[in-house]
């Protein structure tokens, strides 16, 4: 189950992290987070790693797609 | 390329550097326990251009311009300059207004609260507790889906406007512009506004701090928020480094440490209002997504929503002094120690500000999609 995607582009700090944390605490095993700034990318990755999950980053134009998985 | 400034060591070094530079700026002429204070310095700028006429707090502070321009230059150089706009502009403006009113009731932004503590001012403790209270309320809103909505990419030129405004202010200072006899630009002849380091030193320190703060994402409000929200101490480690370094510099290098509550520089002992002023400021910062320093840095990166928050703070400073909302420091008048603090209108403004922020927090919500 991987289709889930969180679109956090353009949201102010710390909303991308809040949404990521929420997805993880609701048992999300594998999902993508979309952000469009380095700051959000760094923050989301830090949050993911703190939850002992893996974050894989792809760049898509101006956006970053962070694939979160166990 | 990995951004070393955003690492744990990086943010600690950045905090320590700011903690060293601020007391140095005091030593070189800036007001006591006010080596850097974003709120106070924006208030001085508001006074300099005549938005208020409190003649002791008028100066075009180059540190502020340096923060924005340093961030702008480094963001350009490292491809992080991204003009963006469109997230609840008018709300952000008024969050800025009330953040400033709250900060001027306490007499300082979070940076100055730390510097006051590092200088021995016990009143900073009540202020910081208020800050924590305000941010805690903000975190509750964030957890319940509070959002001012998305910002959207803007044209490249849009991000130039705010740095250009700052450059213009600096040029007014360099050329000592006077627009009419006895008129602006106003420069204080006495009081905190008359105390300042050499303008090039101030600008240099501002540019340098602006640059490293941009790369490290240093944010005092974020530090406390992340602890409360997610037990994340990343930003807090930088803030702690600032506090410790500033204390060490004040105590051992510059002999600027003086512990106590009374007779502290540009401070008052009206504890309730120190607390509530910072509660208001903390809540407004949390709802706007950054402390005043961070807002300047983001404005430099091209974030128009942060730019409007800063403009809100500058206008707020004008209102705070024109409407007698800002606190008066404690003072010794005819050998009697007079407690400062705020009057009736200041108290009302704090309450109105808190109500405004609560309404924004409750109403600006999005259904959490996750």
């Amino acid at each position: 189950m991987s289709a889930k995607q969180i679109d956090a582009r353009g949201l102010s700090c710390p909303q991308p992290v809040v949404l990521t944390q929420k997805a993880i605490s609701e048992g999300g095993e594998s999902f993508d987070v979309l952000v469009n700034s380095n700051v959000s990318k760094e923050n989301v990755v830090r949050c993911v790693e703190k939850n002992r999950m893996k974050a894989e980053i792809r760049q898509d134009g101006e956006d970053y797609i962070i694939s979160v998985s166990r | 390329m990995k951004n070393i400034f955003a690492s744990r060591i990086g943010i600690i070094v950045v905090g320590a550097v700011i903690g060293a530079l601020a007391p140095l700026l005091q030593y070189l002429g800036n007001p006591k326990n006010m080596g850097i204070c974003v709120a106070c310095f924006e208030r001085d700028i508001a006074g300099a251009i005549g938005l208020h006429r409190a003649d002791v707090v008028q100066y075009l502070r180059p540190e502020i311009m340096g923060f924005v321009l340093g961030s702008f230059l480094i963001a350009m150089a490292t491809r992080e300059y991204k003009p963006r706009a469109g997230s609840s502009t008018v709300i952000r403006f008024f969050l800025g207004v009330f953040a400033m009113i709250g900060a001027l009731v306490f007499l300082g932004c979070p940076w100055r609260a730390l510097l006051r503590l590092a200088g021995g001012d016990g009143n900073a403790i009540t202020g910081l507790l208020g800050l924590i209270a305000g941010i805690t309320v903000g975190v509750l809103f964030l957890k319940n889906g509070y959002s001012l909505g998305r910002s959207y990419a803007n044209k490249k030129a849009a991000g130039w406007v705010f740095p250009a405004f700052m450059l213009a202010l600096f040029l007014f200072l360099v050329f000592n512009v006077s627009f009419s006899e006895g008129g602006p630009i106003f420069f204080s002849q006495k009081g905190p506004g008359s105390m300042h380091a050499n303008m090039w030193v101030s600008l240099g320190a501002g540019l340098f701090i602006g640059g490293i703060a941009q790369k490290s994402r240093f944010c005092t409000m974020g530090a406390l928020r992340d602890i409360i929200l997610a037990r994340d101490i990343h930003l807090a480690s930088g803030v702690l480094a600032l506090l410790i370094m500033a204390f060490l510099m004040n105590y051992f290098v510059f002999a600027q440490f003086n512990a106590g509550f009374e007779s502290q520089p540009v401070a008052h002992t009206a504890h309730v209002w120190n607390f509530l002023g910072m509660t208001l400021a903390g809540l407004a910062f949390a709802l706007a997504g950054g402390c005043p320093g961070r807002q300047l840095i983001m404005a430099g990166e091209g974030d128009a929503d942060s730019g409007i928050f800063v403009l809100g703070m500058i206008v707020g400073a004008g209102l705070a002094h024109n409407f007698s909302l800002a606190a008066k420091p404690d003072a010794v008048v005819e050998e009697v120690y007079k407690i400062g603090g705020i009057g009736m209108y200041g108290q009302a403004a704090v309450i109105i500000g808190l109500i405004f922020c609560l309404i924004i927090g409750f109403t600006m919500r999005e259904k959490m999609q996750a």
Side-chain angles (χ1 to χ4, degrees):
Chain A
M1 200 193 102
S2 153
K4 197 167 154 184
Q5 194 176 62
I6 298 170
D7 185 357
R9 288 175 298 179
L11 292 178
S12 337
C13 194
Q15 290 166 53
V17 173
V18 172
L19 293 172
T20 306
Q21 184 65 49
K22 190 158 191 289
I24 293 173
S25 26
E26 284 173 356
E29 295 278 314
S30 158
F31 57 91
D32 288 349
V33 185
L34 236 67
V35 297
N36 62 350
S37 76
N38 282 335
V39 179
S40 295
K41 182 187 72 181
E42 289 163 11
N43 290 343
V44 168
V45 168
R46 202 164 63 239
C47 165
V48 169
E49 287 173 349
K50 220 175 133 229
N51 282 281
R52 297 202 191 82
M53 293 178 78
K54 282 198 287 280
E56 210 172 284
I57 305 158
R58 297 197 304 281
Q59 191 154 7
D60 176 22
E62 292 285 294
D63 301 338
Y64 298 100
I65 305 166
I66 305 165
S67 296
V68 181
S69 60
R70 270 286 156 218
Chain B
M1 192 183 74
K2 196 141 168 62
N3 176 4
I4 51 158
F5 286 100
S7 67
R8 180 62 55 85
I9 294 293
I11 189 93
I12 290 174
V13 170
V14 167
V17 168
I18 299 174
L21 284 175
L24 177 66
L25 286 168
Q26 281 160 227
Y27 181 76
L28 294 174
N30 279 10
K32 286 182 182 166
N33 292 351
M34 206 192 281
I36 297 166
C37 171
V38 176
C40 317
F41 287 5
E42 287 172 355
R43 181 266 319 273
D44 292 351
I45 290 174
I49 58 178
L51 297 184
H52 69 71
R53 297 299 181 87
D55 64 1
V56 290
V57 283
Q58 298 173 321
Y59 180 57
L60 292 172
R61 295 274 178 192
E63 288 87 351
I64 299 294
M65 300 141 206
F67 287 173
V68 175
L69 294 170
S71 161
F72 173 70
L73 292 173
I74 207 83
M76 278 284 199
T78 56
R79 300 167 55 85
E80 288 193 324
Y81 171 72
K82 284 193 175 172
R84 50 197 189 270
S87 166
S88 304
T89 314
V90 171
I91 290 178
R92 287 182 189 272
F93 179 85
F94 281 100
L95 286 173
V97 169
F98 284 114
M100 182 58 101
I101 291 173
L104 290 180
V105 164
F106 165 71
L107 295 175
C109 72
W111 290 35
R112 182 167 191 245
L114 296 166
L115 294 173
R116 280 172 62 171
L117 188 59
D121 180 350
N123 301 299
I125 297 169
T126 15
L128 286 167
L129 289 174
L131 189 68
I132 292 170
I135 295 170
T136 304
V137 176
V139 166
L140 290 176
F141 285 131
L142 282 163
K143 281 186 170 171
N144 284 293
Y146 166 80
S147 174
L148 289 180
R150 291 177 206 282
S151 64
Y152 296 90
N154 207 339
K155 300 277 182 290
K156 284 287 174 208
W160 288 71
V161 176
F162 202 82
F165 169 52
M166 289 290 138
L167 186 62
L169 289 178
F170 187 68
L171 292 177
F172 287 158
L173 175 67
V174 171
F175 294 106
N176 203 355
V177 180
S178 176
F179 288 91
S180 65
E181 207 168 315
I185 303 294
F186 297 109
F187 293 104
S188 294
Q189 300 304 312
K190 56 181 172 36
S194 68
M195 301 167 71
H196 53 81
N198 174 285
M199 68 169 130
W200 297 103
V201 172
S202 291
L203 181 74
L207 285 169
F208 183 65
I209 291 173
I212 58 176
Q214 196 280 330
K215 291 271 54 102
S216 66
R217 336 303 191 195
F218 185 84
C219 177
T220 53
M221 184 284 296
L224 295 166
R225 179 200 62 207
D226 290 353
I227 291 178
I228 301 165
L229 180 68
R231 311 265 172 272
D232 178 358
I233 59 159
H234 174 75
L235 288 172
S237 53
V239 166
L240 197 62
L242 186 162
L243 179 64
I244 293 170
M245 183 57 101
F247 166 74
L248 293 174
M249 296 292 281
N250 279 334
Y251 197 87
F252 292 107
V253 182
F254 298 121
Q256 294 175 149
F257 185 84
N258 174 26
F261 284 84
E262 291 197 347
S263 298
Q264 290 290 340
V266 201
H268 63 78
T269 51
H271 302 300
V272 171
W273 295 103
N274 276 329
F275 180 88
L276 286 177
M278 273 316 234
T279 304
L280 170 57
L283 178 53
F285 299 147
L287 295 179
C291 76
R294 179 81 188 133
Q295 302 281 0
L296 287 171
I297 302 303
M298 292 196 292
E301 292 170 8
D303 188 335
D305 297 318
S306 289
I308 207 77
F309 182 88
V310 174
L311 293 174
M313 285 190 71
I314 293 174
V315 170
L319 296 176
H321 283 281
N322 287 343
F323 295 0
S324 311
L325 313 177
K328 290 188 172 41
D330 286 2
V332 177
V333 182
E334 290 166 359
E335 294 178 31
V336 180
Y337 190 82
K338 283 203 118 137
I339 293 179
I342 56 176
M344 191 177 65
Y345 295 116
Q347 298 178 1
V350 170
I351 306 287
I352 291 169
L354 286 169
I355 292 171
F356 172 79
C357 288
L358 290 175
I359 291 173
I360 296 301
F362 278 115
T363 54
M364 299 301 289
R365 283 164 67 171
E366 267 170 32
K367 223 172 149 202
M368 304 272 270
Q369 64 168 162

mmCIF file of all heavy atoms in Angstrom, chain A residues 2-41:
data_model
loop_
_atom_site.group_PDB
_atom_site.id
_atom_site.type_symbol
_atom_site.label_atom_id
_atom_site.label_comp_id
_atom_site.label_asym_id
_atom_site.label_seq_id
_atom_site.Cartn_x
_atom_site.Cartn_y
_atom_site.Cartn_z
ATOM 1 N N SER A 2 0.976 1.900 -1.131
ATOM 2 C CA SER A 2 1.923 3.008 -1.212
ATOM 3 C C SER A 2 1.324 4.249 -1.856
ATOM 4 O O SER A 2 1.955 5.284 -1.914
ATOM 5 C CB SER A 2 3.151 2.551 -2.009
ATOM 6 O OG SER A 2 3.772 3.644 -2.626
ATOM 7 N N ALA A 3 0.106 4.145 -2.294
ATOM 8 C CA ALA A 3 -0.480 5.222 -3.099
ATOM 9 C C ALA A 3 -0.627 6.523 -2.322
ATOM 10 O O ALA A 3 -0.744 7.584 -2.903
ATOM 11 C CB ALA A 3 -1.838 4.787 -3.623
ATOM 12 N N LYS A 4 -0.608 6.428 -0.995
ATOM 13 C CA LYS A 4 -0.900 7.605 -0.199
ATOM 14 C C LYS A 4 0.146 8.702 -0.373
ATOM 15 O O LYS A 4 1.337 8.444 -0.397
ATOM 16 C CB LYS A 4 -0.975 7.199 1.263
ATOM 17 C CG LYS A 4 -1.660 8.219 2.093
ATOM 18 C CD LYS A 4 -1.990 7.647 3.436
ATOM 19 C CE LYS A 4 -2.080 8.779 4.421
ATOM 20 N NZ LYS A 4 -2.292 8.319 5.762
ATOM 21 N N GLN A 5 -0.342 9.908 -0.525
ATOM 22 C CA GLN A 5 0.572 11.018 -0.717
ATOM 23 C C GLN A 5 0.127 12.225 0.106
ATOM 24 O O GLN A 5 -1.047 12.571 0.110
ATOM 25 C CB GLN A 5 0.594 11.393 -2.198
ATOM 26 C CG GLN A 5 1.747 12.293 -2.552
ATOM 27 C CD GLN A 5 1.794 12.570 -4.035
ATOM 28 O OE1 GLN A 5 0.868 13.152 -4.591
ATOM 29 N NE2 GLN A 5 2.867 12.176 -4.678
ATOM 30 N N ILE A 6 1.075 12.838 0.805
ATOM 31 C CA ILE A 6 0.773 14.046 1.562
ATOM 32 C C ILE A 6 1.342 15.229 0.797
ATOM 33 O O ILE A 6 2.549 15.279 0.565
ATOM 34 C CB ILE A 6 1.411 13.984 2.968
ATOM 35 C CG1 ILE A 6 0.834 12.809 3.749
ATOM 36 C CG2 ILE A 6 1.191 15.293 3.706
ATOM 37 C CD1 ILE A 6 1.576 12.536 5.034
ATOM 38 N N ASP A 7 0.493 16.144 0.410
ATOM 39 C CA ASP A 7 0.961 17.320 -0.322
ATOM 40 C C ASP A 7 1.200 18.458 0.658
ATOM 41 O O ASP A 7 0.260 19.107 1.102
ATOM 42 C CB ASP A 7 -0.075 17.724 -1.378
ATOM 43 C CG ASP A 7 0.436 18.869 -2.236
ATOM 44 O OD1 ASP A 7 1.555 19.362 -1.968
ATOM 45 O OD2 ASP A 7 -0.276 19.262 -3.172
ATOM 46 N N ALA A 8 2.467 18.657 1.024
ATOM 47 C CA ALA A 8 2.799 19.700 2.007
ATOM 48 C C ALA A 8 3.497 20.875 1.336
ATOM 49 O O ALA A 8 4.153 21.675 2.004
ATOM 50 C CB ALA A 8 3.671 19.117 3.110
ATOM 51 N N ARG A 9 3.327 20.995 0.027
ATOM 52 C CA ARG A 9 3.995 22.095 -0.672
ATOM 53 C C ARG A 9 3.417 23.442 -0.243
ATOM 54 O O ARG A 9 2.205 23.590 -0.141
ATOM 55 C CB ARG A 9 3.822 21.932 -2.196
ATOM 56 C CG ARG A 9 4.656 20.796 -2.754
ATOM 57 C CD ARG A 9 4.369 20.580 -4.204
ATOM 58 N NE ARG A 9 2.965 20.208 -4.428
ATOM 59 C CZ ARG A 9 2.441 19.983 -5.618
ATOM 60 N NH1 ARG A 9 3.186 20.112 -6.690
ATOM 61 N NH2 ARG A 9 1.176 19.632 -5.748
ATOM 62 N N GLY A 10 4.310 24.378 0.002
ATOM 63 C CA GLY A 10 3.869 25.744 0.308
ATOM 64 C C GLY A 10 3.334 25.930 1.717
ATOM 65 O O GLY A 10 2.922 27.023 2.070
ATOM 66 N N LEU A 11 3.312 24.875 2.521
ATOM 67 C CA LEU A 11 2.819 25.041 3.895
ATOM 68 C C LEU A 11 3.939 25.571 4.782
ATOM 69 O O LEU A 11 5.096 25.213 4.624
ATOM 70 C CB LEU A 11 2.313 23.703 4.440
ATOM 71 C CG LEU A 11 1.045 23.165 3.776
ATOM 72 C CD1 LEU A 11 0.672 21.810 4.373
ATOM 73 C CD2 LEU A 11 -0.119 24.137 3.942
ATOM 74 N N SER A 12 3.573 26.460 5.733
ATOM 75 C CA SER A 12 4.624 26.992 6.605
ATOM 76 C C SER A 12 5.041 25.946 7.601
ATOM 77 O O SER A 12 4.305 25.037 7.942
ATOM 78 C CB SER A 12 4.195 28.227 7.399
ATOM 79 O OG SER A 12 3.156 28.913 6.852
ATOM 80 N N CYS A 13 6.243 26.180 8.088
ATOM 81 C CA CYS A 13 6.819 25.401 9.162
ATOM 82 C C CYS A 13 5.874 25.491 10.355
ATOM 83 O O CYS A 13 5.402 26.575 10.639
ATOM 84 C CB CYS A 13 8.151 26.046 9.491
ATOM 85 S SG CYS A 13 9.208 25.098 10.488
ATOM 86 N N PRO A 14 5.559 24.455 11.086
ATOM 87 C CA PRO A 14 6.021 23.072 10.998
ATOM 88 C C PRO A 14 4.959 22.150 10.392
ATOM 89 O O PRO A 14 4.963 20.964 10.687
ATOM 90 C CB PRO A 14 6.197 22.729 12.478
ATOM 91 C CG PRO A 14 5.028 23.417 13.127
ATOM 92 C CD PRO A 14 4.743 24.651 12.291
ATOM 93 N N GLN A 15 4.050 22.708 9.601
ATOM 94 C CA GLN A 15 2.924 21.869 9.156
ATOM 95 C C GLN A 15 3.345 20.618 8.380
ATOM 96 O O GLN A 15 2.743 19.556 8.567
ATOM 97 C CB GLN A 15 1.939 22.700 8.354
ATOM 98 C CG GLN A 15 1.184 23.690 9.234
ATOM 99 C CD GLN A 15 0.470 24.734 8.403
ATOM 100 O OE1 GLN A 15 -0.279 24.419 7.514
ATOM 101 N NE2 GLN A 15 0.747 25.990 8.681
ATOM 102 N N PRO A 16 4.364 20.683 7.507
ATOM 103 C CA PRO A 16 4.781 19.442 6.843
ATOM 104 C C PRO A 16 5.169 18.347 7.857
ATOM 105 O O PRO A 16 4.839 17.175 7.672
ATOM 106 C CB PRO A 16 5.994 19.878 6.007
ATOM 107 C CG PRO A 16 5.757 21.328 5.737
ATOM 108 C CD PRO A 16 5.104 21.852 6.981
ATOM 109 N N VAL A 17 5.830 18.774 8.934
ATOM 110 C CA VAL A 17 6.244 17.804 9.955
ATOM 111 C C VAL A 17 5.023 17.271 10.712
ATOM 112 O O VAL A 17 4.918 16.072 10.985
ATOM 113 C CB VAL A 17 7.251 18.437 10.945
ATOM 114 C CG1 VAL A 17 7.549 17.511 12.103
ATOM 115 C CG2 VAL A 17 8.529 18.814 10.208
ATOM 116 N N VAL A 18 4.089 18.158 11.017
ATOM 117 C CA VAL A 18 2.879 17.734 11.747
ATOM 118 C C VAL A 18 2.126 16.675 10.927
ATOM 119 O O VAL A 18 1.704 15.640 11.453
ATOM 120 C CB VAL A 18 1.961 18.937 12.036
ATOM 121 C CG1 VAL A 18 0.627 18.479 12.600
ATOM 122 C CG2 VAL A 18 2.631 19.903 12.999
ATOM 123 N N LEU A 19 1.998 16.924 9.623
ATOM 124 C CA LEU A 19 1.270 15.986 8.754
ATOM 125 C C LEU A 19 2.013 14.650 8.643
ATOM 126 O O LEU A 19 1.395 13.584 8.673
ATOM 127 C CB LEU A 19 1.068 16.603 7.364
ATOM 128 C CG LEU A 19 0.137 17.824 7.314
ATOM 129 C CD1 LEU A 19 0.165 18.473 5.939
ATOM 130 C CD2 LEU A 19 -1.292 17.441 7.689
ATOM 131 N N THR A 20 3.353 14.734 8.542
ATOM 132 C CA THR A 20 4.154 13.506 8.454
ATOM 133 C C THR A 20 4.032 12.693 9.742
ATOM 134 O O THR A 20 3.795 11.476 9.727
ATOM 135 C CB THR A 20 5.638 13.861 8.206
ATOM 136 O OG1 THR A 20 5.734 14.704 7.068
ATOM 137 C CG2 THR A 20 6.467 12.613 7.991
ATOM 138 N N GLN A 21 4.174 13.401 10.865
ATOM 139 C CA GLN A 21 4.090 12.740 12.166
ATOM 140 C C GLN A 21 2.734 12.067 12.347
ATOM 141 O O GLN A 21 2.636 10.953 12.855
ATOM 142 C CB GLN A 21 4.326 13.776 13.272
ATOM 143 C CG GLN A 21 4.361 13.214 14.673
ATOM 144 C CD GLN A 21 5.545 12.277 14.883
ATOM 145 O OE1 GLN A 21 6.676 12.608 14.561
ATOM 146 N NE2 GLN A 21 5.272 11.075 15.398
ATOM 147 N N LYS A 22 1.695 12.758 11.882
ATOM 148 C CA LYS A 22 0.346 12.224 12.011
ATOM 149 C C LYS A 22 0.197 10.937 11.192
ATOM 150 O O LYS A 22 -0.354 9.939 11.666
ATOM 151 C CB LYS A 22 -0.662 13.274 11.536
ATOM 152 C CG LYS A 22 -2.108 12.937 11.830
ATOM 153 C CD LYS A 22 -2.940 14.207 11.842
ATOM 154 C CE LYS A 22 -4.338 13.972 12.397
ATOM 155 N NZ LYS A 22 -5.214 13.212 11.542
ATOM 156 N N ALA A 23 0.729 10.980 9.968
ATOM 157 C CA ALA A 23 0.645 9.792 9.117
ATOM 158 C C ALA A 23 1.380 8.616 9.748
ATOM 159 O O ALA A 23 0.905 7.476 9.723
ATOM 160 C CB ALA A 23 1.232 10.102 7.741
ATOM 161 N N ILE A 24 2.535 8.912 10.351
ATOM 162 C CA ILE A 24 3.305 7.832 10.983
ATOM 163 C C ILE A 24 2.565 7.291 12.199
ATOM 164 O O ILE A 24 2.420 6.083 12.369
ATOM 165 C CB ILE A 24 4.715 8.339 11.387
ATOM 166 C CG1 ILE A 24 5.535 8.661 10.133
ATOM 167 C CG2 ILE A 24 5.432 7.296 12.237
ATOM 168 C CD1 ILE A 24 6.868 9.324 10.410
ATOM 169 N N SER A 25 2.042 8.201 13.031
ATOM 170 C CA SER A 25 1.380 7.699 14.247
ATOM 171 C C SER A 25 0.070 6.983 13.944
ATOM 172 O O SER A 25 -0.410 6.211 14.754
ATOM 173 C CB SER A 25 1.184 8.797 15.295
ATOM 174 O OG SER A 25 1.126 10.047 14.734
ATOM 175 N N GLU A 26 -0.480 7.241 12.751
ATOM 176 C CA GLU A 26 -1.685 6.488 12.376
ATOM 177 C C GLU A 26 -1.337 5.172 11.701
ATOM 178 O O GLU A 26 -2.191 4.521 11.094
ATOM 179 C CB GLU A 26 -2.568 7.356 11.461
ATOM 180 C CG GLU A 26 -3.316 8.423 12.251
ATOM 181 C CD GLU A 26 -4.061 9.408 11.357
ATOM 182 O OE1 GLU A 26 -3.927 9.295 10.126
ATOM 183 O OE2 GLU A 26 -4.770 10.266 11.908
ATOM 184 N N GLY A 27 -0.062 4.795 11.793
ATOM 185 C CA GLY A 27 0.342 3.479 11.316
ATOM 186 C C GLY A 27 0.744 3.440 9.855
ATOM 187 O O GLY A 27 0.839 2.365 9.263
ATOM 188 N N GLY A 28 0.977 4.607 9.244
ATOM 189 C CA GLY A 28 1.412 4.627 7.850
ATOM 190 C C GLY A 28 2.758 3.929 7.702
ATOM 191 O O GLY A 28 3.721 4.292 8.349
ATOM 192 N N GLU A 29 2.788 2.879 6.873
ATOM 193 C CA GLU A 29 4.015 2.103 6.699
ATOM 194 C C GLU A 29 4.805 2.617 5.505
ATOM 195 O O GLU A 29 6.015 2.448 5.422
ATOM 196 C CB GLU A 29 3.671 0.629 6.484
ATOM 197 C CG GLU A 29 3.009 -0.021 7.685
ATOM 198 C CD GLU A 29 4.037 -0.447 8.723
ATOM 199 O OE1 GLU A 29 5.052 -1.042 8.333
ATOM 200 O OE2 GLU A 29 3.824 -0.158 9.916
ATOM 201 N N SER A 30 4.082 3.206 4.557
ATOM 202 C CA SER A 30 4.739 3.613 3.323
ATOM 203 C C SER A 30 3.904 4.699 2.650
ATOM 204 O O SER A 30 2.765 4.460 2.286
ATOM 205 C CB SER A 30 4.879 2.380 2.435
ATOM 206 O OG SER A 30 5.023 2.766 1.103
ATOM 207 N N PHE A 31 4.477 5.871 2.540
ATOM 208 C CA PHE A 31 3.749 6.969 1.895
ATOM 209 C C PHE A 31 4.747 8.006 1.379
ATOM 210 O O PHE A 31 5.929 7.985 1.751
ATOM 211 C CB PHE A 31 2.749 7.601 2.871
ATOM 212 C CG PHE A 31 3.363 8.115 4.131
ATOM 213 C CD1 PHE A 31 3.800 9.423 4.236
ATOM 214 C CD2 PHE A 31 3.506 7.277 5.243
ATOM 215 C CE1 PHE A 31 4.373 9.893 5.402
ATOM 216 C CE2 PHE A 31 4.085 7.741 6.419
ATOM 217 C CZ PHE A 31 4.522 9.053 6.500
ATOM 218 N N ASP A 32 4.256 8.901 0.532
ATOM 219 C CA ASP A 32 5.100 9.968 -0.008
ATOM 220 C C ASP A 32 4.711 11.306 0.603
ATOM 221 O O ASP A 32 3.533 11.559 0.842
ATOM 222 C CB ASP A 32 4.923 10.088 -1.530
ATOM 223 C CG ASP A 32 5.563 8.915 -2.264
ATOM 224 O OD1 ASP A 32 6.305 8.158 -1.616
ATOM 225 O OD2 ASP A 32 5.309 8.772 -3.470
ATOM 226 N N VAL A 33 5.706 12.144 0.837
ATOM 227 C CA VAL A 33 5.441 13.519 1.261
ATOM 228 C C VAL A 33 6.013 14.452 0.198
ATOM 229 O O VAL A 33 7.172 14.316 -0.197
ATOM 230 C CB VAL A 33 6.099 13.841 2.621
ATOM 231 C CG1 VAL A 33 5.693 15.238 3.081
ATOM 232 C CG2 VAL A 33 5.718 12.808 3.666
ATOM 233 N N LEU A 34 5.173 15.364 -0.267
ATOM 234 C CA LEU A 34 5.591 16.329 -1.287
ATOM 235 C C LEU A 34 5.908 17.657 -0.616
ATOM 236 O O LEU A 34 5.056 18.211 0.067
ATOM 237 C CB LEU A 34 4.429 16.546 -2.254
ATOM 238 C CG LEU A 34 4.669 16.292 -3.731
ATOM 239 C CD1 LEU A 34 4.906 14.805 -3.916
ATOM 240 C CD2 LEU A 34 3.482 16.759 -4.539
ATOM 241 N N VAL A 35 7.117 18.156 -0.815
ATOM 242 C CA VAL A 35 7.456 19.486 -0.294
ATOM 243 C C VAL A 35 8.156 20.266 -1.402
ATOM 244 O O VAL A 35 8.571 19.694 -2.404
ATOM 245 C CB VAL A 35 8.365 19.404 0.958
ATOM 246 C CG1 VAL A 35 7.666 18.704 2.095
ATOM 247 C CG2 VAL A 35 9.683 18.721 0.627
ATOM 248 N N ASN A 36 8.277 21.583 -1.197
ATOM 249 C CA ASN A 36 8.955 22.374 -2.235
ATOM 250 C C ASN A 36 9.990 23.338 -1.667
ATOM 251 O O ASN A 36 10.295 24.349 -2.268
ATOM 252 C CB ASN A 36 7.948 23.120 -3.123
ATOM 253 C CG ASN A 36 7.130 24.110 -2.323
ATOM 254 O OD1 ASN A 36 7.182 24.107 -1.097
ATOM 255 N ND2 ASN A 36 6.386 24.972 -2.999
ATOM 256 N N SER A 37 10.537 23.006 -0.486
ATOM 257 C CA SER A 37 11.658 23.811 0.004
ATOM 258 C C SER A 37 12.647 22.897 0.712
ATOM 259 O O SER A 37 12.275 21.849 1.248
ATOM 260 C CB SER A 37 11.180 24.902 0.959
ATOM 261 O OG SER A 37 10.868 24.346 2.215
ATOM 262 N N ASN A 38 13.910 23.319 0.708
ATOM 263 C CA ASN A 38 14.936 22.542 1.402
ATOM 264 C C ASN A 38 14.639 22.441 2.887
ATOM 265 O O ASN A 38 14.897 21.419 3.513
ATOM 266 C CB ASN A 38 16.309 23.199 1.207
ATOM 267 C CG ASN A 38 16.899 22.900 -0.154
ATOM 268 O OD1 ASN A 38 16.565 21.882 -0.764
ATOM 269 N ND2 ASN A 38 17.754 23.775 -0.637
ATOM 270 N N VAL A 39 14.085 23.535 3.446
ATOM 271 C CA VAL A 39 13.813 23.537 4.881
ATOM 272 C C VAL A 39 12.798 22.451 5.224
ATOM 273 O O VAL A 39 13.016 21.636 6.133
ATOM 274 C CB VAL A 39 13.277 24.913 5.333
ATOM 275 C CG1 VAL A 39 12.967 24.895 6.815
ATOM 276 C CG2 VAL A 39 14.280 26.001 5.019
ATOM 277 N N SER A 40 11.701 22.419 4.470
ATOM 278 C CA SER A 40 10.679 21.399 4.734
ATOM 279 C C SER A 40 11.258 20.007 4.518
ATOM 280 O O SER A 40 10.982 19.079 5.288
ATOM 281 C CB SER A 40 9.484 21.594 3.804
ATOM 282 O OG SER A 40 8.853 22.812 4.095
ATOM 283 N N LYS A 41 12.078 19.862 3.492
ATOM 284 C CA LYS A 41 12.690 18.561 3.215
ATOM 285 C C LYS A 41 13.535 18.118 4.407
ATOM 286 O O LYS A 41 13.374 17.004 4.911
ATOM 287 C CB LYS A 41 13.563 18.674 1.952
ATOM 288 C CG LYS A 41 14.219 17.379 1.534
ATOM 289 C CD LYS A 41 15.199 17.604 0.382
ATOM 290 C CE LYS A 41 16.444 18.332 0.856
ATOM 291 N NZ LYS A 41 17.421 18.603 -0.195
#
